Amino acid sequence: MKTPAAMFVEAGKPLVVDDIDLPEPGPTQVAVRHFATGVCHSQLHELHRPSPNLPSVLGHESTGVVTAVGRDVSHVKEGDHVISRGFSATLRVLPRDQRRPT
C-alpha cells in the first residue's frame, strides 16, 4: 500500500513529501485513517541532532479512525475514533484517495 509521508532525508534540507510503501497491519498493529497529525518537539530535536536517524518519517501525534486491526488486537475495533501519541514506524496511514474528504 502507498501513502504520502513527510520525510526527513537530509540534515539542513527541507522535508520531502512523497509516497511510501507500507505493509498490511501485523497481528498486534492497527491501521488508522488520519484526520490530523503533528510533529512534536522531540521530533524537532531529532532534526537538529549532530547524527540524526535518516531517513525518518515525521508526525506521530494524530487523530483518526481505525480502519483495520490485527488478529491479536482487542482494545480497539474498526470504526473507533482514536488519538495516538508516539507510535512505531509500523503504523500505517491510508492513501489520499481513501481518506475522508475535508
Side-chain angles (χ1 to χ4, degrees), residues 59-74:
H60 65 215
E61 296 176 346
S62 73
T63 62
V65 65
V66 175
T67 59
V69 298
R71 69 176 178 270
D72 297 334
V73 174
S74 60

Side-chain angles (χ1 to χ4, degrees), residues 34 37 58-62 84-93:
H34 292 274
T37 188
L58 302 180
H60 65 215
E61 296 176 346
S62 73
S84 65
R85 54 169 221 178
F87 49 75
S88 72
T90 56
L91 182 87
R92 67 173 225 186
V93 294

